[in-house]
Amino acid sequence: MICNNLFVFVLLSGVVSTDAFVPTRLTTSMVQKQSLSLGAATMEPPSTTTDGPTTWECDDDLTECREVPACDEEQCRTSLDVRIHGDWYDLTGWRKGHPAGEHWIDYYDGRDATEVMDGFHSKKAMRMLERLPKTKPDTAELLEETAVPDSSTQIAFRKLREDLEAEGFWERDMIHEYKILGIWGALVAGAAFTAGSIPLLSTFLLGLSMTAAGWLGHDYIHGIDEYAFKLRNFAGFAAGLHPTWWSDKHNKHHALTNEMGCDEDVATDPFLYQWAPDPANDSPLRKIQHLIFYIPFSFMFALWRVDSMTVAVDAVEKKRPGAKDELYSLLAHYLFVLTVFPYTVWIPAVFMSGLVSALIVTPTHQSEEMFDEYQPDWVTAQFQSTRNAVTTNPFSEWIWGGMQYQLEHHLFPSMPRSKYPSLRERLIKFAEDNQIPGGYRETGEFEILKMNWDLYKRVAEADPVPGATPSRGRIGQQGSIEGTNSPANALPKATA
């Protein structure tokens, strides 16, 4: 969605005063400088005095937020406000302290982030919400006039989530957890045992183990329980995938699913296109993409590994939480692989696992609705952009790694995947009760692959479309791939 939340600063006689800020979204508030402890209660909004505008600066752990001048001699900072469960919070001072990165807060400037907050955060993180400073009441009123109200579907979904939490859906079935972890370990052991004598079999087993490790790591990185926290770096050690890189990329896919220009999972050009592009963004490969799709699919894990190592080094340099341990897990992975397996085994295994994984993750979204603007009703958007696969045998049920229940996973990403099958009937009823367009979508595991191939073929045969949405975002698009362009970040300061 093109950003329309711009700040207008009015200068009166060259002097900054309370009347000098006339927001269409809101800027800062006028208060005396003070320091307040956030140990117990929610911070009250700043008051107004004649000392000039102030904004918040918060410690990373939110133990204290301080009001500081928003303006220096030349510039004034804008504010950054997000709605969560009906309340607006001023996150200006905590933006850089957000453990998952400041870009996440930028995505939701001026928007409702309730479902994303609930979906990705532990109970401990949710309790920290109480420490955040609230947006000034008159500002919150202005924001509420411009933001889209919560839909009845969103409200019903929050009630469903509360019911599921009360019923224990986030409690892990440890027998199931040990079983799937044991299958991965057996595959690795089998691959190691046959690496010298039967290299082709070793490649096959190692490739399957990498795919399984990807699904296991995916579950642990999403998880918000102690078991998941302990195994967060499993993806690094077992699959060569960096947890922070995965979180940045994959959680954004969950938050802005199939939003053209924002969701990296549908920005696969110039090798694969999900819609006919503008001539300036076209490629000759598009005309044959349905014939060569398996080639970029095979490269998926290899590219992810390169990205993982790049982000791992960057995360250490930026001192992101847990960055060193995550880097060590990657180094341990390559030490193990290079020591145990000849390159003629592990390199083909990487490409095999890439092909298998891509065949699983692409069809559950790419054949569904694509959005050329932000979808404020996150719940309805998940139903419209997601299709489940109905597996037909025990091997398929295992190799899909829970992704056959893609809708359940997207609605409840932190829920252990063993719980997904029991949600099906409830989500079918939820879709019916809330009259969600398209309802609960599911298709056989082979038919869904055919649907995706048909999409590639249709797009390959289509003419380019002048003005088509770029896959990496438009200028000013909030949350675009090319750059985080929320009002607070794209225009962090306004000249006074």
Side-chain angles (χ1 to χ4, degrees):
M1 181 176 69
I2 299 295
C3 299
N4 55 10
N5 298 328
L6 302 180
F7 296 90
V8 180
F9 294 89
V10 180
L11 305 181
L12 298 178
S13 302
V15 178
V16 177
S17 71
T18 55
D19 294 327
F21 294 79
V22 183
T24 56
R25 260 269 289 101
L26 186 67
T27 60
T28 52
S29 52
M30 314 293 291
V31 297
Q32 289 181 329
K33 184 176 180 180
Q34 57 180 305
S35 178
L36 297 176
S37 172
L38 298 181
T42 301
M43 169 118 11
E44 292 298 319
S47 59
T48 300
T49 73
T50 58
D51 289 349
T54 66
T55 187
W56 295 110
E57 282 189 1
C58 299
D59 295 337
D60 289 353
D61 59 1
L62 290 179
T63 55
E64 186 177 46
C65 280
R66 295 167 294 281
E67 292 180 88
V68 298
C71 300
D72 56 26
E73 294 180 355
E74 298 180 351
Q75 299 173 319
C76 292
R77 288 188 289 174
T78 65
S79 69
L80 195 162
D81 306 273
V82 175
R83 186 176 67 191
I84 303 171
H85 285 287
D87 291 322
W88 287 93
Y89 294 88
D90 183 348
L91 305 185
T92 312
W94 193 54
R95 175 176 175 271
K96 291 185 178 298
H98 185 230
E102 59 207 44
H103 50 284
W104 270 105
I105 297 178
D106 294 336
Y107 297 157
Y108 286 91
D109 188 14
R111 296 173 171 177
D112 186 273
T114 301
E115 273 63 57
V116 171
M117 184 71 184
D118 288 345
F120 296 153
H121 294 83
S122 65
K123 292 296 183 183
K124 178 181 178 181
M126 293 298 291
R127 287 194 295 270
M128 291 181 70
L129 181 65
E130 299 174 357
R131 303 178 182 178
L132 291 170
K134 283 192 175 181
T135 299
K136 188 179 177 182
D138 57 352
T139 299
E141 184 177 349
L142 288 172
L143 289 166
E144 202 62 35
E145 291 176 358
T146 59
V148 178
D150 290 335
S151 69
S152 60
T153 302
Q154 289 173 281
I155 295 171
F157 178 76
R158 292 166 194 173
K159 177 61 170 63
L160 173 62
R161 184 182 182 88
E162 289 178 2
D163 292 344
L164 294 175
E165 288 179 348
E167 294 172 29
F169 269 76
W170 274 261
E171 297 175 4
R172 289 189 181 270
D173 177 352
M174 296 312 299
I175 293 177
H176 175 81
E177 296 295 336
Y178 296 146
K179 180 180 69 175
I180 56 178
L181 197 58
I183 292 173
W184 166 80
L187 288 169
V188 174
F193 182 75
T194 58
S197 57
I198 317 175
L200 187 60
L201 177 59
S202 179
T203 296
F204 177 73
L205 295 176
L206 185 60
L208 289 180
S209 77
M210 290 177 178
T211 297
W215 303 143
L216 287 167
H218 167 261
D219 199 31
Y220 301 150
I221 294 170
H222 271 303
I224 57 174
D225 58 288
E226 287 301 319
Y227 179 78
F229 292 157
K230 291 177 181 178
L231 290 174
R232 176 177 171 82
N233 290 330
F234 178 85
F237 173 74
L241 302 177
H242 188 251
T244 294
W245 164 81
W246 184 282
S247 294
D248 285 349
K249 175 185 183 297
H250 187 65
N251 285 351
K252 187 181 181 184
H253 159 68
H254 273 264
L256 302 172
T257 309
N258 281 15
E259 184 178 338
M260 300 155 73
C262 294
D263 185 354
E264 292 187 29
D265 282 19
V266 297
T268 53
D269 55 303
F271 303 104
L272 295 170
Y273 293 78
Q274 283 82 59
W275 62 90
D278 182 278
N281 299 318
D282 206 354
S283 165
L285 292 175
R286 179 172 66 87
K287 293 298 183 181
I288 57 171
Q289 65 176 15
H290 57 302
L291 303 176
I292 64 166
F293 71 93
Y294 58 89
I295 298 176
F297 275 18
S298 299
F299 273 84
M300 185 180 74
F301 257 27
L303 294 174
W304 285 3
R305 285 166 173 266
V306 173
D307 290 344
S308 288
M309 191 58 73
T310 301
V311 172
V313 174
D314 181 70
V316 170
E317 292 176 349
K318 292 181 177 179
K319 299 181 179 180
R320 295 186 66 171
K324 288 185 178 180
D325 288 341
E326 292 180 354
L327 176 60
Y328 296 153
S329 73
L330 291 182
L331 296 177
H333 167 78
Y334 286 105
L335 177 63
F336 174 76
V337 169
L338 294 174
T339 301
V340 175
F341 300 100
Y343 73 91
T344 53
V345 167
W346 75 265
I347 290 180
V350 169
F351 287 94
M352 173 195 155
S353 64
L355 175 61
V356 172
S357 301
L359 286 170
I360 289 171
V361 299
T362 55
T364 53
H365 291 298
Q366 291 187 358
S367 299
E368 306 308 305
E369 277 87 334
M370 296 284 171
F371 308 117
D372 60 2
E373 61 181 3
Y374 173 68
Q375 301 297 299
D377 185 342
W378 181 86
V379 180
T380 298
Q382 297 307 313
F383 275 89
Q384 292 182 304
S385 61
T386 308
R387 181 176 295 272
N388 284 359
V390 180
T391 57
T392 58
N393 58 79
F395 177 78
S396 292
E397 184 71 10
W398 169 77
I399 195 64
W400 275 76
M403 296 301 96
Q404 65 270 46
Y405 307 105
Q406 190 70 274
L407 177 62
E408 287 81 352
H409 172 60
H410 262 250
L411 292 173
F412 306 104
S414 60
M415 183 185 289
R417 76 191 205 197
S418 63
K419 306 292 186 179
Y420 293 152
S422 58
L423 284 179
R424 179 178 178 273
E425 295 300 326
R426 295 176 78 159
L427 292 182
I428 290 174
K429 185 176 186 303
F430 182 89
E432 293 173 349
D433 291 346
N434 291 277
Q435 299 180 335
I436 295 177
Y440 182 94
R441 307 177 186 191
E442 60 180 354
T443 301
E445 60 180 319
F446 300 111
E447 184 180 351
I448 199 172
L449 293 172
K450 178 63 164 53
M451 290 173 63
N452 205 40
W453 185 84
D454 287 341
L455 169 70
Y456 287 150
K457 186 173 185 291
R458 285 197 306 273
V459 175
E461 295 171 348
D463 294 327
V465 178
T469 301
S471 66
R472 286 160 181 78
R474 303 179 296 274
I475 296 175
Q477 183 178 15
Q478 192 166 331
S480 69
I481 295 171
E482 288 295 343
T484 302
N485 292 321
S486 76
N489 195 32
L491 301 172
K493 294 190 176 183
T495 301

